[in-house]
Amino acid sequence: MYYPNGRGHSSAADARARSTEGGHPNWGHPDHDACGTGFIARLGGAPSYDIIQFALTALERLTHRGGVDADGASGDGAGLLTSLPQAFFRARTAEQGIELPELFAVGCAFLPSSVIDEARAAVEAAADVERLRVIGWRRVPVNTNALGRRALETMPEIWQFFVEPFHPARAMARFEWRLSLLRKRAESLLPPRCYICSLSSQTIVYKGLLTPWQFPQFYEDLRDPSFATTFAVFHQRYSTNTQPSWHLAQPFRYVAHNGEINTIVSNRRWLRAKATEFRSRLAVGSWFPLLEENVSDSASFDNGFELRLLEGLSSEEAMLAMVPPAFEKDPLLSRDVRGALTALSQRSEPWDGPAALVFSDGQFVGAKLDRNGLRPLRYTLTHDGLLIAGSETGLVDLDESLSASGLAPEK
């Protein structure tokens, strides 16, 4: 699809014709019709608010990457996936009289205003089945004056909920497993148009039908200096194969994606064909959906990525299994690496297409290119450990004497 202004449909031939008929000189250029994404992290560093500030700056400098609605103000979507700012949430919940335990998780949900009570009851019922406890809810403070008309008309209420295990000694990995099952079970019970953006003891997602400059104006939490994180994945969306909506803004729960998945139809069909096998291995019932319906290719990729994590793969292994490099005839790979890639390639069919993928499970944050490098990422690493990766250069102002930069390699 081609959107020179607002919303509409044009053929590729129309786009080429416009580019030669006195239209904008950048129409049709690949750097102007793809999402922008990347991440900021400080290697070995403590949580800090400057990570959020860097990420918001990078996001704003990706404004040219995103689409804008015909109202001239509603963006295709912008968001952040960050490590969980525990001190921030402890302070905010204490204001409401909620005492968070040592181990807790935060869920973030988009809920239509007409079904708030029903949705909350569904989440709490699902938590009880999964031996988890919802200990409180918080309505996320927002500034609706920052929104465009379309975004405001379709805006859900945004709520966070806090979850603890019945057994405080439960290991972190097992807690994350239960949280994923809780979210999946809740999704089977929630009323229509409800969406859980994230639910984790490691990460949190803030996103919406926003432009990058609207994003920090809308979410008041992101302007609080106590919102300290160790990393932030950012994404500015250019909608191509789906209409823009609040829930399709990125990042998703684990992945931010710039590109297209050319094999998406077969990838979805293979997952659906293996639904019984997956549910058997994960010991779950028919209430567990492998794929969300009526979503983008990026959202389906995120669903598939989560399944690999639930099967026990690390985030790096899951990404290599889904988007394998062209390793078969690479003479530079060791036998061990070749064997590992061969084993991973047998676990799933490749999700292939021009793509740059940024991902995190809360323990690690990383990036991966498609096998041809058709959506390149660039990175800069400063001497004090600040790592900036993005779909282009110039996302953050740095003293060049303190950094070394380059193209993200395909490995």
Side-chain angles (χ1 to χ4, degrees), residues 310-357:
L310 290 174
E311 286 186 307
L313 293 184
S314 68
S315 57
E316 317 91 279
E317 291 170 335
M319 187 59 68
L320 283 172
M322 295 181 70
V323 186
F327 69 92
E328 293 87 348
K329 296 184 179 181
D330 187 342
L332 302 179
L333 293 182
S334 69
R335 182 164 52 185
D336 289 345
V337 171
R338 189 181 301 279
L341 290 172
T342 299
L344 287 172
S345 69
Q346 295 171 355
R347 298 186 70 128
S348 68
E349 300 71 28
W351 296 60
D352 211 358
L357 297 134

Side-chain angles (χ1 to χ4, degrees), residues 229-403:
T229 67
T230 56
F231 73 85
V233 173
F234 50 87
H235 189 279
Q236 158 65 32
R237 187 171 189 238
Y238 182 91
S239 179
T240 52
N241 56 10
T242 53
Q243 286 295 318
S245 68
W246 281 81
H247 75 286
L248 290 182
Q250 295 191 48
F252 291 106
R253 296 163 192 127
Y254 301 95
V255 174
H257 174 222
N258 166 28
E260 294 78 41
I261 299 171
N262 296 338
T263 57
I264 188 61
V265 173
S266 64
N267 294 136
R268 287 169 172 161
R269 286 176 175 171
W270 274 113
L271 275 184
R272 291 190 178 100
K274 296 177 180 178
T276 301
E277 177 188 343
F278 266 104
R279 290 179 180 133
S280 176
R281 286 207 300 267
L282 299 176
V284 297
S286 58
W287 53 267
F288 185 100
L290 271 64
L291 291 170
E292 295 168 290
E293 298 297 329
N294 302 314
V295 295
S296 61
D297 53 357
S298 306
S300 292
F301 185 96
D302 191 80
N303 293 160
F305 186 79
E306 181 180 39
L307 289 173
R308 297 304 172 191
L309 297 181
L310 290 174
E311 286 186 307
L313 293 184
S314 68
S315 57
E316 317 91 279
E317 291 170 335
M319 187 59 68
L320 283 172
M322 295 181 70
V323 186
F327 69 92
E328 293 87 348
K329 296 184 179 181
D330 187 342
L332 302 179
L333 293 182
S334 69
R335 182 164 52 185
D336 289 345
V337 171
R338 189 181 301 279
L341 290 172
T342 299
L344 287 172
S345 69
Q346 295 171 355
R347 298 186 70 128
S348 68
E349 300 71 28
W351 296 60
D352 211 358
L357 297 134
V358 183
F359 61 94
S360 180
D361 61 355
Q363 295 292 316
F364 297 93
V365 59
K368 177 76 172 65
L369 301 183
D370 66 88
R371 66 183 67 198
N372 294 311
L374 296 176
R375 287 287 191 272
L377 284 170
R378 295 162 175 84
Y379 70 85
T380 295
L381 177 62
T382 67
H383 293 305
D384 63 352
L386 185 66
L387 178 60
I388 302 142
S391 48
E392 53 214 270
T393 58
L395 295 177
V396 175
D397 293 330
L398 296 170
D399 184 342
E400 293 188 9
S401 66
L402 300 178
S403 64

Side-chain angles (χ1 to χ4, degrees), residues 73-78 147-148 150-151 154 207-211 214 244-246 249:
S74 299
D76 276 5
L147 299 179
R150 176 177 170 80
T154 59
K207 66 178 185 177
L209 202 59
L210 304 156
T211 64
Q214 292 169 341
S245 68
W246 281 81

Side-chain angles (χ1 to χ4, degrees), residues 94-108:
E95 295 169 354
Q96 296 182 218
I98 301 170
E99 183 178 353
L100 294 178
E102 181 178 353
L103 180 60
F104 70 93
V106 182
C108 189

